[in-house]
Amino acid sequence: MSEVAENTRKILNQLPENVTLVAVSKLKPATLLKEVYDSGHKIFGENYVQEMVEKAEILPKDIEWNFIGHLQSNKVKYIAPIVSLIHSVDSFKLLKEINKQALKNQRIIPCLLQIHIAQEDTKTGMDEEELSEILKSNELKDLKNIDLRGLMGMSTFTDDMSVVRAEFKSLKNIFEKYKDEFQKAGFEHFTEISMGMSGDWKIAIEEGSTMVRIGSSIFGSRG
Ligand SMILES: *Cc1c(COP(=O)(O)O)cnc(C)c1O
């Protein structure tokens, strides 16, 4: 088995059954993704629109492409035909554009709302107030081509795991607070919490993550 496939298998073996692995393949060549794919794993995460589109063209069609990077509204149209899940919806405006492009493609696009949990201002995401405004908005029920599946968050880049853990706890709390309301609003599958990367995924799972996004522990550092 290839090294990247071996790394993927080792992580999968440690994940609880209810946790999904998104293999984050940004800046890595398609040949490496193919090695992971051939070992049986089909869920990949990409950060850049053009890169995802190019890889999707040459790789097998049953790959589940997860978009995890910052997404500009004017680029949604390029990924709308191929994306399986967008983790990084950070504004209502973006959500409406995703709905529009999903409609054009006659499909429903699953989305997570990205919440700002880190101390740094560099990491994007909405605050709780924006989340609650989306929920209360009259326009939400008109967005029939998106399916809200839950929340996503990124912790502060720090060695202090008590900070990271507290941030994951805060995301879990926000999720628990709003889950029922989103489900009542018609999003029955509002069940996911996407949190945890190579350095902190074990803590994320302890704090309730259902999706971990792991790049360097599978594909090696990005230089
Ligand atoms: C790059 C990236 C990851 C993966 O990071 P690693 O530390 O390499 O596992 C996860 N989530 C997001 C949003 C990323 O941009």
Side-chain angles (χ1 to χ4, degrees):
M1 198 185 276
S2 79
E3 194 185 343
V4 289
E6 185 79 29
N7 294 340
T8 305
R9 202 198 55 185
K10 275 187 200 148
I11 293 166
L12 284 170
N13 284 341
Q14 294 175 74
L15 293 186
E17 242 175 72
N18 66 318
V19 178
T20 303
L21 171 64
V22 178
V24 176
S25 46
K26 62 176 173 224
L27 307 176
K28 295 294 176 180
T31 48
L32 285 186
L33 280 72
K34 186 65 165 49
E35 289 177 14
V36 172
Y37 174 89
D38 286 339
S39 76
H41 188 76
K42 299 184 177 178
I43 306 168
F44 293 90
E46 289 284 341
N47 285 58
Y48 308 104
V49 166
Q50 193 183 342
E51 186 179 345
M52 181 193 268
V53 169
E54 284 171 7
K55 285 174 174 169
E57 268 169 28
I58 58 174
L59 286 164
K61 297 300 168 213
D62 62 342
I63 286 179
E64 292 177 34
W65 293 104
N66 284 219
F67 193 83
I68 65 171
H70 179 64
L71 182 56
Q72 289 171 276
S73 293
N74 62 359
K75 292 195 173 164
V76 174
K77 57 179 178 283
Y78 302 115
I79 62 168
I82 54 162
V83 72
S84 291
L85 176 64
I86 301 176
H87 291 235
S88 43
V89 179
D90 59 1
S91 71
F92 201 18
K93 172 176 172 254
L94 178 60
L95 190 65
K96 287 186 253 189
E97 177 63 18
I98 294 167
N99 184 72
K100 184 175 151 190
Q101 297 299 333
L103 178 62
K104 271 193 190 167
N105 284 276
Q106 296 179 296
R107 59 183 299 240
I108 290 171
I109 299 182
C111 294
L112 305 177
L113 299 172
Q114 184 174 355
I115 306 298
H116 181 90
I117 54 170
Q119 291 171 343
E120 309 133 289
D121 342 307
T122 46
K123 296 212 168 110
T124 52
M126 48 182 104
D127 57 24
E128 199 183 323
E129 201 176 311
E130 289 170 273
L131 178 69
S132 122
E133 276 165 21
I134 290 179
L135 185 57
K136 284 186 212 141
S137 163
N138 288 324
E139 291 172 89
L140 184 62
K141 64 173 182 339
D142 299 330
L143 306 184
K144 301 210 183 306
N145 291 75
I146 49 111
D147 187 16
L148 293 178
R149 296 281 177 91
L151 303 180
M152 182 271 229
M154 275 176 95
S155 64
T156 301
F157 186 71
T158 171
D159 291 334
D160 185 347
M161 287 302 145
S162 68
V163 169
V164 170
R165 188 181 292 280
E167 291 170 353
F168 289 154
K169 273 189 204 299
S170 76
L171 185 59
K172 168 79 170 168
N173 284 339
I174 295 172
F175 173 80
E176 289 300 336
K177 188 168 162 189
Y178 290 93
K179 179 182 69 173
D180 289 350
E181 293 185 63
F182 276 103
Q183 290 184 349
K184 270 185 227 147
F187 300 105
E188 287 167 42
H189 306 111
F190 196 92
T191 54
E192 305 286 350
I193 307 177
S194 168
M195 60 183 185
M197 316 194 337
S198 291
D200 56 20
W201 63 269
K202 289 183 183 169
I203 296 173
I205 289 172
E206 286 168 11
E207 299 304 335
S209 172
T210 67
M211 301 190 98
V212 289
R213 309 177 309 269
I214 299 181
S216 40
S217 292
I218 294 173
F219 294 104
S221 74
R222 290 174 296 271

